[in-house]
Amino acid sequence: MTSRAQSRFGRLAPSLVFAAFLTLAGCATSGPPAPISSGKPRVEPSQDRQADRDRDDERGSLHANGLEIDANGLPKPLRGKFTPEFLKGKDLVRAGVLLPFSHPNAGVRAEAEGMLAGIEMALFDHAPDTFVLLPKDTAGSKSQTVEMAEQAQSEGAEFFLGPLFGSSVAALNEERKLAGIPVIAFSNDRDVAGGNTWLASISPEEEVSSLVEYAISQGFQQFAFFGPQSALGQRIETALQFEANQKGARVVATGFYPDGSDSPSSEARYLAESINSAESYGPVAVLIPERGTQLRKVAPLLAYHGVSRSVQLMGLSGWDDPNVWREPSLKGGWFVAPPDVDLQSFETRYKRIYGRAPTSLAAQAYDAAALAMSLSADGDLDRREILAEDGFVGLNGLFRFTAQGTAERKLSIYEVSPGEGATLIHEGGTRFDPDIG
């Protein structure tokens, strides 16, 4: 990829630059953690998790933060606002962090811990000493999400970072006791956005929009879709139809195949024939929204069934993976992803602090937290500030929230070069048009 610069997180006009600590010490997370504040220095993560647990046992019934713990070693619910002893008498800002730390799926649990780690990094980069995090385990359950949100609210949470799943966000939106509390969530389900709920995720609709806009700038007026017959696949195909139509182009062919099929030959043959016929009217760009091993199995099928070499293959951010760039059929393919200027610096710091690579949503969690911490520095997360038309610059590039609760982003376009990696061919924009809509 292109060279990456030092990390930054800034608000565009009017200027708002966040000061970062010169050094960052971190603590590894394991399971649903206790409330975190930035009022005390952190230590580097221990390499011996068992030794950490033994020390916890020696402390008896009190958590490291001074909270009572239950028989399972989890912090007991508090009565009243949570205030660390060393911050008593200060005017605190408290944020509830709603993530599925005990989800049945190990991958989801790892993602939740990675996201909390990103939020912790933002805490020590951007938050004042009077900012406190209240992490709560939603377990991926709608009812537990509401319960944990109400618990965080009783402990003084003034806004929430999370949840992760759309169903959990919807449950929060429906709970009257929580009405009016700002929610910055990580679902990519646009149906749950709006009101006091904003989605910090990078949605497939935003990725499709950026990709189609670039392709049209390169002379493509015809598009095709080759992807799984799944809810997400249909959603992406709908976005392609919408964006093409909005920009005066058209989708000439769609090839859905059974979700998970690694050899949809009949669908590939039909699509290749349709694309070759359409090429008499101009070049065609084909969107394949797969990733990983599945992408490497599906992508070669179009060429195998005789699609023209002039056809342009395209993908979403799932293509941003060195493991798939070696696939010969993807040579010259375009994919959309956040600008990579700051992400490598973030990844390096994350590995140094936590001893592992960041999860896929850790940087998004960092950006959402850093934004919330800055905007709430005066004690209030104001709707007008959240909807700043000029937007904000984070690890994932320029973004802003819309009145509908979704995030609008300026994403970059990369080209796959087997043996060389991926090359930046179109940098994400540096400003938004004035009308946010």
Side-chain angles (χ1 to χ4, degrees):
M1 306 286 276
T2 56
S3 60
R4 305 175 188 236
Q6 201 172 26
S7 179
R8 85 244 188 261
F9 189 99
R11 164 106 171 255
L12 299 182
S15 177
L16 177 59
V17 179
F18 306 102
F21 287 113
L22 294 178
T23 60
L24 174 66
C27 60
T29 58
S30 180
I36 300 169
S37 79
S38 59
K40 285 186 175 179
R42 303 166 74 189
V43 296
E44 289 294 333
S46 169
Q47 298 300 313
D48 188 344
R49 293 283 183 93
Q50 185 59 50
D52 288 343
R53 286 192 288 270
D54 292 343
R55 284 192 292 272
D56 286 343
D57 291 341
E58 291 171 5
R59 282 193 285 267
S61 63
L62 291 181
H63 189 273
N65 280 33
L67 297 174
E68 283 193 73
I69 60 175
D70 60 21
N72 296 317
L74 301 179
K76 290 183 178 180
L78 299 174
R79 293 182 178 179
K81 293 184 177 180
F82 172 75
T83 302
E85 185 69 29
F86 55 91
L87 291 178
K88 283 187 175 179
K90 294 188 177 184
D91 189 13
L92 304 183
V93 175
R94 303 171 182 85
V97 179
L98 307 175
L99 292 171
F101 299 109
S102 64
H103 192 278
N105 183 287
V108 174
R109 295 196 300 272
E111 186 65 73
E113 289 198 16
M115 294 173 72
L116 179 62
I119 292 171
E120 289 177 355
M121 289 176 66
L123 177 77
F124 284 88
D125 281 351
H126 306 302
D129 289 345
T130 52
F131 192 99
V132 177
L133 295 177
L134 303 171
K136 301 295 178 182
D137 177 23
T138 68
S141 159
K142 293 187 291 183
S143 60
Q144 185 160 325
T145 295
V146 173
E147 180 183 349
M148 291 297 99
E150 291 178 348
Q151 187 181 113
Q153 181 190 32
S154 71
E155 294 171 10
E158 297 165 51
F159 60 89
F160 300 122
L161 295 171
L164 176 59
F165 300 118
S167 58
S168 296
V169 179
L172 285 189
N173 293 342
E174 295 168 1
E175 180 54 55
R176 291 185 179 181
K177 293 180 182 179
L178 302 172
I181 299 182
V183 176
I184 300 180
F186 302 102
S187 167
N188 62 14
D189 182 356
R190 292 186 165 199
D191 291 339
V192 301
N196 284 312
T197 298
W198 287 272
L199 303 183
S201 55
I202 302 176
S203 72
E205 286 83 0
E206 279 297 308
E207 294 186 353
V208 171
S209 177
S210 297
L211 200 55
V212 169
E213 182 176 6
Y214 176 74
I216 288 177
S217 75
Q218 300 303 300
F220 288 88
Q221 291 291 318
Q222 298 189 111
F223 295 88
F225 176 89
F226 189 46
Q229 182 77 51
S230 63
L232 181 58
Q234 291 176 329
R235 179 178 166 187
I236 293 171
E237 195 271 345
T238 298
L240 179 63
Q241 293 274 5
F242 175 81
E243 293 297 334
N245 182 66
Q246 287 289 102
K247 295 174 172 63
R250 66 183 185 131
V251 176
V252 297
T254 290
F256 281 116
Y257 49 80
D259 191 18
S261 172
D262 58 6
S263 185
S265 293
S266 60
E267 293 86 355
R269 182 171 59 253
Y270 162 79
L271 189 66
E273 293 171 355
S274 300
I275 290 171
N276 290 341
S277 296
E279 277 206 298
S280 60
Y281 300 97
V284 179
V286 184
L287 175 59
I288 306 178
E290 290 284 13
R291 64 176 64 226
T293 302
Q294 184 71 355
L295 174 60
R296 298 180 69 178
K297 291 178 178 178
V298 170
L301 293 176
L302 292 178
Y304 177 80
H305 287 288
V307 76
S308 169
R309 291 186 179 181
S310 61
V311 166
Q312 178 66 52
L313 299 187
M314 306 190 304
L316 304 185
S317 55
W319 284 33
D320 191 9
D321 176 2
N323 291 321
V324 304
W325 297 340
R326 297 190 298 269
E327 168 55 47
S329 65
L330 296 179
K331 181 178 181 180
W334 299 336
F335 68 87
V336 61
D340 61 4
V341 175
D342 293 331
L343 289 176
Q344 188 172 30
S345 175
F346 171 77
E347 291 168 2
T348 299
R349 295 176 57 221
Y350 188 107
K351 288 179 181 177
R352 186 179 72 246
I353 296 167
Y354 297 101
R356 60 183 184 272
T359 57
S360 60
L361 298 179
Q364 291 182 37
Y366 179 102
D367 280 355
L371 172 63
M373 290 166 187
S374 173
L375 296 186
S376 65
D378 58 0
D380 183 35
L381 192 60
D382 185 76
R383 179 182 179 86
R384 289 173 297 179
E385 292 182 318
I386 293 175
L387 292 175
E389 286 193 355
D390 295 310
F392 312 89
V393 178
L395 298 176
N396 290 286
L398 178 64
F399 71 100
R400 67 179 177 184
F401 289 113
T402 72
Q404 292 74 38
T406 57
E408 182 181 356
R409 295 179 179 271
K410 293 295 185 181
L411 301 172
S412 295
I413 308 297
Y414 299 85
E415 183 173 279
V416 177
S417 303
E420 300 177 17
T423 304
L424 177 68
I425 57 174
H426 177 72
E427 191 169 2
T430 57
R431 62 184 295 274
F432 287 111
D433 294 332
D435 182 19
I436 197 170

